[in-house]
């Protein structure tokens, strides 16, 4: 029974070997076996020192690297020029590494496709046979009736365009903070004539159903409090806000602009 061992970011011996080759910026077709074997064995020893259970497949590849290293040390030819070893000892390892990289890339592409498809939701097929079984309906209309219907459509469209050209939708101009401050000033002047010295914030809003009017009035009151034209009092949380005249006179409202 074989086990797939994952150590840090490596899955299996070939994953570690590919990492070492790429990290050393070597060509996979011209591996420096001596250096790579040394790095590979060092990594295996570090795994053992950290009490990792090194899988057999890691040791098999280590033995393979040592075998290739020993063959690379042997001379390629005799003194007389006789060839002792024609094939490069690394060729089989290179083929296995290339095959590993190919399948690894294929596995990564499948994983990416799986992740992409997991985000796609499909609508289940519905039974639409009741609509498909209904025969097509054809209008029994001769050319004269069709021309009359089309002429009626054009006349109706023309009337709509004429009405639209004569009537336009008029929108009320939005109040500004400056104009609302003048409105509040005039509102207080009117109640002063009747002996009233304070008003609630609600009484200063012309259209209490219009959210814009509510906001612009509230901001205008805050500005007038800041400029000391008004003072405000609220006796309880969420209670009614009472607005009274401040230190400055209302006649000065708008004089600063």
């Amino acid at each position: 029974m074989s086990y797939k061992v994952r150590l840090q970011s490596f899955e299996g011996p070939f994953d570690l070997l590919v990492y070492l080759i790429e990290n050393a910026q070597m060509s996979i077709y011209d591996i420096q076996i001596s250096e790579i074997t040394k790095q590979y064995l060092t990594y295996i020893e570090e795994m053992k020192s950290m009490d990792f259970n090194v899988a057999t497949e890691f040791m098999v590849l280590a033995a393979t690297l040592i075998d290739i290293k020993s063959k690379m040390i042997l001379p390629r030819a005799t003194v007389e020029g006789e060839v002792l070893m024609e094939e490069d000892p690394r060729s089989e390892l290179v083929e296995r590494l290339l095959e590993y990289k190919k399948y690894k890339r294929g596995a990564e592409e499948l994983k990416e496709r799986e992740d992409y498809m997991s985000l796609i939701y499909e609508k289940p097929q519905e039974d639409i046979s009741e609509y498909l079984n209904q025969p097509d309906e054809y209008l029994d209309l001769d050319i004269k009736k069709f021309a009359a219907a089309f002429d009626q459509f054009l006349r109706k469209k023309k009337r709509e365009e004429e009405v639209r050209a004569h009537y336009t939708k008029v929108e009320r101009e939005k109040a500004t903070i400056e104009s609302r401050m003048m409105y509040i000033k005039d509102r207080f002047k009117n109640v002063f004539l009747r002996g009233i010295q304070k008003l609630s914030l609600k009484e200063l809003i012309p259209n209490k159903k219009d959210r814009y009017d509510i906001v612009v009035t509230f901001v205008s009151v805050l500005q007038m409090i800041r400029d000391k034209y008004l003072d405000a009092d609220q006796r309880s949380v969420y209670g009614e806000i009472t607005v009274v005249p401040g230190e400055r006179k209302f006649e000065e409202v708008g004089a600063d602009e």
Side-chain angles (χ1 to χ4, degrees), residues 52-226:
F52 280 112
N53 184 19
V54 181
T56 305
E57 55 188 357
F58 280 86
M59 303 306 298
V60 170
L61 183 57
T64 302
L65 290 172
I66 294 172
D67 181 58
I68 296 173
K69 179 181 177 181
S70 63
K71 290 180 180 178
M72 295 288 293
I73 296 174
L74 295 175
R76 298 295 183 94
T78 62
V79 179
E80 292 78 12
E82 182 182 353
V83 177
L84 296 177
M85 184 171 51
E86 296 182 357
E87 187 178 1
D88 190 335
R90 301 171 296 180
S91 58
E92 184 180 352
L93 178 63
V94 170
E95 291 178 3
R96 295 176 65 184
L97 286 172
L98 291 173
E99 186 177 11
Y100 171 77
K101 291 187 68 175
K102 180 179 69 174
Y103 284 105
K104 182 181 180 181
R105 181 54 193 160
E108 291 174 351
E109 290 178 355
L110 290 174
K111 183 63 171 63
E112 291 173 0
R113 185 172 299 181
E114 180 187 9
D115 294 340
Y116 173 76
M117 294 302 296
S118 66
L119 301 176
I120 297 176
Y121 298 90
E122 296 182 355
K123 183 178 181 295
Q125 185 177 359
E126 297 181 2
D127 183 14
I128 58 173
S129 58
E130 60 176 311
Y131 305 104
L132 298 177
N133 295 333
Q134 295 180 2
D136 294 334
E137 296 182 5
Y138 297 93
L139 295 176
D140 184 12
L141 195 67
D142 59 24
I143 189 65
K144 291 183 178 180
K145 292 181 179 179
F146 176 78
F150 188 68
D151 181 67
Q152 185 178 1
F153 165 76
L154 293 177
R155 290 175 182 272
K156 182 178 179 182
K157 183 175 179 60
K158 184 178 179 180
R159 286 198 301 271
E160 290 177 354
E161 292 176 352
E162 290 175 351
V163 171
R164 192 176 291 111
H166 286 82
Y167 296 93
T168 56
K169 183 178 180 181
V170 179
E171 293 186 1
R172 182 170 61 90
E173 183 180 356
K174 294 291 187 180
T176 63
I177 294 177
E178 291 75 14
S179 63
R180 185 53 48 87
M181 289 172 63
M182 297 302 296
Y183 169 83
I184 294 172
K185 164 190 169 182
D186 294 338
R187 188 86 169 82
F188 266 100
K189 281 188 174 182
N190 290 333
V191 298
F192 287 163
L193 298 176
R194 295 179 293 177
I196 301 173
Q197 296 296 320
K198 62 181 179 179
L199 290 171
S200 68
L201 180 62
K202 293 180 180 179
E203 292 177 298
L204 298 175
I205 303 173
N207 186 1
K208 298 176 180 57
K209 295 182 179 180
D210 190 334
R211 184 175 298 180
Y212 179 85
D213 261 13
I214 296 173
V215 172
V216 77
T217 300
F218 183 73
V219 175
S220 301
V221 169
L222 289 179
Q223 183 63 43
M224 294 181 76
I225 292 174
R226 178 184 176 185

